[in-house]
Amino acid sequence: MTTANFVLTLSCADRPGIVAAVTTELAALNANIAESNQFWDRETDRFFMRLAFTAPQGVTSQTIERALKSPIERFSMKTALVDEARKKRIVIMVSKFDHTLRHLLYQIQVGWLDAEVAAIVSNHDTTQKLAEAENIPFHLLPVTAATKASQEEQVLGVIKQSGADLVVLARYMQVLSDNLSTRLFGQVINIHHSFLPSFKGAKPYHQAHERGVKIIGATAHYVTPDLDEGPIIEQETARVTHAMSPDDLVAAGRDIESRVLARAVKLHLENRVMLNGKKTVVFG
């Protein structure tokens, strides 16, 4: 019998009976739960849950939403229901450094990331040939301080026209305006090295080498108007030594940045990340 795959995420004030109320309704639809994750945040007294389940043919998103209406209203739940049959679409934004972009494209090619790249947007033409080779629409949108507002409207137009579910800043070396960050809240993931705010500028790894750092790393987070302070999704660190040159640090950093960004994108695409104020709940 043909089945459909769905993911339900929900959050609400913690009370007894939440799990039972939801799973009882799903059982009445002959749905089969494949994965269940729950977390009670004692600090805020909020409950978070992710359910992955299959449902018989003929059970649609609308059917499930109607069945869950009673528990949603009873517990004042904030919910999201995703039909996994629809492949997610992403827009990747990049400047000159293409290592994270290439890693994302490879992970999509081998099937580890289940997504389609709807477009690549860049303020430089460095990655245009790569986009053309992958048959991905490429949008060259240069930006200056004087043209930033109009350029971001063009960016927003590309995102809307492509029907993208997620925007990935794969070393896009431009700060999104407060306006765009707010309009796309929860839909944009950025990657940065872990030196911020200690080492800013064009060559942070060289600065780190001069200071003799012993650990480097990277952080993937949602973009907010607060620069590089959005809710964190994924991080990784690695030990380095005095014997490593600045170029060695750069190479190690590239690897870490690529892995961390790809993992963050995967977690988001699989609806495993839930916002919890300035933090996230990540069901791995």
Side-chain angles (χ1 to χ4, degrees):
M1 179 172 61
T2 303
T3 58
N5 297 314
F6 297 91
V7 172
L8 171 70
T9 54
L10 64 89
S11 64
C12 59
D14 187 62
R15 287 169 52 190
I18 297 171
V19 176
V22 172
T23 56
T24 297
E25 296 296 342
L26 294 179
L29 296 175
N30 290 319
N32 185 47
I33 296 175
E35 184 181 346
S36 176
N37 304 101
Q38 300 116 43
F39 172 67
W40 171 31
D41 184 355
R42 289 170 172 78
E43 293 180 2
T44 61
D45 199 32
R46 287 197 66 80
F47 178 79
F48 297 84
M49 186 175 184
R50 178 186 184 273
L51 283 172
F53 59 94
T54 60
Q57 187 175 19
V59 176
T60 65
S61 297
Q62 292 74 24
T63 307
I64 298 168
E65 288 169 352
R66 285 195 298 269
L68 294 175
K69 183 177 179 181
S70 176
I72 289 174
E73 293 179 349
R74 176 184 169 193
F75 293 99
S76 299
M77 295 177 181
K78 181 179 180 181
T79 64
L81 180 67
V82 176
D83 185 345
E84 293 287 90
R86 188 181 74 84
K87 187 179 288 290
K88 303 287 181 61
R89 294 169 62 82
I90 64 177
V91 166
I92 302 177
M93 298 183 67
V94 62
S95 290
K96 291 183 178 181
F97 302 110
D98 64 358
H99 53 286
T100 53
L101 167 63
R102 289 180 180 272
H103 188 70
L104 289 171
L105 294 179
Y106 176 76
Q107 296 298 349
I108 291 172
Q109 177 187 337
V110 299
W112 187 74
L113 286 177
D114 186 18
E116 175 185 352
V117 181
I120 293 175
V121 175
S122 182
N123 55 325
H124 297 277
D125 62 4
T126 311
T127 56
Q128 184 167 355
K129 290 184 178 179
L130 173 60
E132 292 171 350
E134 297 290 336
N135 199 29
I136 299 171
F138 181 83
H139 300 268
L140 178 59
L141 301 177
V143 59
T144 65
T147 63
K148 189 176 185 67
S150 60
Q151 190 258 12
E152 288 195 338
E153 284 301 319
Q154 290 179 286
V155 170
L156 193 60
V158 172
I159 294 168
K160 290 183 175 180
Q161 185 178 11
S162 66
D165 301 281
L166 176 67
V167 178
V168 183
L169 305 186
R171 292 303 304 272
Y172 181 64
M173 306 305 288
Q174 292 289 321
V175 177
L176 300 189
S177 68
D178 290 357
N179 177 51
L180 189 60
S181 298
T182 301
R183 293 168 75 174
L184 296 177
F185 179 72
Q187 302 174 54
V188 185
I189 294 177
N190 187 32
I191 184 73
H192 68 69
H193 54 75
S194 65
F195 303 132
L196 291 174
S198 300
F199 305 119
K200 299 181 179 180
K203 293 187 175 183
Y205 289 101
H206 289 71
Q207 296 176 55
H209 180 265
E210 291 174 0
R211 292 288 300 276
V213 300
K214 299 298 182 283
I215 294 177
I216 63 171
T219 297
H221 62 92
Y222 288 115
V223 171
T224 67
D226 297 320
L227 179 62
D228 290 323
E229 294 186 12
I232 294 170
I233 305 170
E234 179 65 301
Q235 292 178 296
E236 182 179 330
T237 61
R239 295 199 65 83
V240 295
T241 75
H242 62 276
M244 298 176 72
S245 69
D247 288 342
D248 292 331
L249 297 187
V250 170
R254 282 196 298 259
D255 287 343
I256 297 173
E257 291 166 1
S258 298
R259 292 196 301 269
V260 170
L261 182 59
R263 291 202 301 268
V265 170
K266 184 177 179 67
L267 289 166
H268 179 94
L269 293 176
E270 293 181 354
N271 304 288
R272 295 182 179 277
V273 187
M274 300 182 68
L275 291 169
N276 182 20
K278 295 182 178 181
K279 303 185 293 184
T280 57
V281 173
V282 181
F283 292 122

